[in-house]
Amino acid sequence: LPPLDPTPTAHAATTLRAVRVIGGSGHAGHYGWGADTIPPGHPDAGNVLITDYWNYRVAEFDQDGNLVDFPIKNDGKHAAPYDVAVNPVNGNLAIGDVDLGTRVSIYSADGVYLRSCGNAQRWRYPAWLDYDETGRLAVADSRGHKVVVIDDDDCSVRFQFGSQGGGLAQFSTPRGVDFADDGTLWVNDNN
């Protein structure tokens, strides 16, 4: 296109014409969202699990970036997984499933659906997850402005904390949790 003259009356109307169109509507091969590393002591330790949001599955990649498998497939028992976490004690996989029942879905290490934890009465947007070294699962409820720690064996609540606000133990859309090696729980408070 010719350079634009800053005075609008200097040129007649310009008609734009596409030279070529690149791309178009379609479906991506992978919609990455959340990730976790398979811990030591488990088969495929060091491999990375990455949620595949719009393909409704979780992909496993080796340390060279090669696709290994889909340990959680599109099985109809969950919708779009936001985050994935690996239980270091029993190898269970947890996914935040806010689009189908507002819950956390638990799968065995080999991808067998075990149970769903919670519903809209427990939390509003349980998207972000992490396990501590003892197997407790922290769930950041982004729209509920709290963190709930559960046992993935029976979905029982160990404890919870937080409310909406900017004060001590208050959150405004927490969008990430991570246990440090010393057990400290870090919360990414988005707003």
Side-chain angles (χ1 to χ4, degrees), residues 67-169:
L67 177 64
V68 174
D69 194 8
F70 297 101
I72 298 178
K73 297 174 176 49
N74 183 0
D75 59 6
K77 296 189 183 335
H78 66 273
Y82 271 62
D83 197 9
V84 61
V86 183
N87 187 327
V89 175
N90 60 21
N92 284 352
L93 308 174
I95 57 172
D97 187 9
V98 300
D99 294 338
L100 185 64
T102 314
R103 60 191 183 193
V104 173
S105 296
I106 308 295
Y107 286 78
S108 68
D110 55 356
V112 174
Y113 173 81
L114 299 174
R115 69 193 61 80
S116 289
C117 298
N119 53 35
Q121 285 73 44
R122 178 174 290 171
W123 37 49
R124 295 180 54 208
Y125 204 79
W128 308 104
L129 318 166
D130 196 34
Y131 282 99
D132 73 0
E133 293 303 312
T134 68
R136 295 181 305 176
L137 179 64
V139 180
D141 183 357
S142 295
R143 293 183 186 158
H145 310 287
K146 63 185 175 183
V147 173
V148 181
V149 177
I150 66 171
D151 184 335
D152 80 353
D153 287 334
D154 61 5
C155 302
S156 61
V157 174
R158 296 281 191 100
F159 60 92
Q160 66 182 31
F161 59 94
S163 62
Q164 187 171 12
L168 187 61

